[in-house]
Amino acid sequence: MGKQEAAEALGLQALAWLVGNEDLLPVFMNASGVGADDLRAQAADPGFLGAVLDFLMMDDAWVIAFCDTIGAPYERVMQARQALPGGEQVNWT
């Protein structure tokens, strides 16, 4: 499995975790403007999965809770985000 495929798999896990979180899902839906149908329709879009990871990374507690749930190291979320569209490190020099 390549970097992008692994990142997409983690993004899908994050989306599933988010959907199962009754407190956080409405916050994500309001912040992103997506509805329930959009969640299903965009689940295969790497850009959308990147947005899910961006949202998750807004709060360390969310990253910790997600990673603890799936048994992944905390830095995995950032690594996955960098492998998805829009997550590249930008060098402004």
Side-chain angles (χ1 to χ4, degrees), residues 9-40:
L10 188 80
L12 280 171
Q13 286 180 295
L15 179 59
W17 178 82
L18 199 54
V19 167
N21 187 316
E22 293 177 5
D23 296 327
L24 203 48
L25 182 61
V27 176
F28 173 72
M29 292 174 75
N30 287 333
S32 63
V34 299
D37 291 338
D38 298 319
L39 292 175
R40 284 185 284 280

Side-chain angles (χ1 to χ4, degrees), residues 70-84:
I70 67 165
Y74 303 136
E75 65 272 8
R76 179 86 37 90
V77 175
M78 175 69 77
Q79 292 165 347
R81 180 61 190 107
Q82 290 173 347
L84 293 171

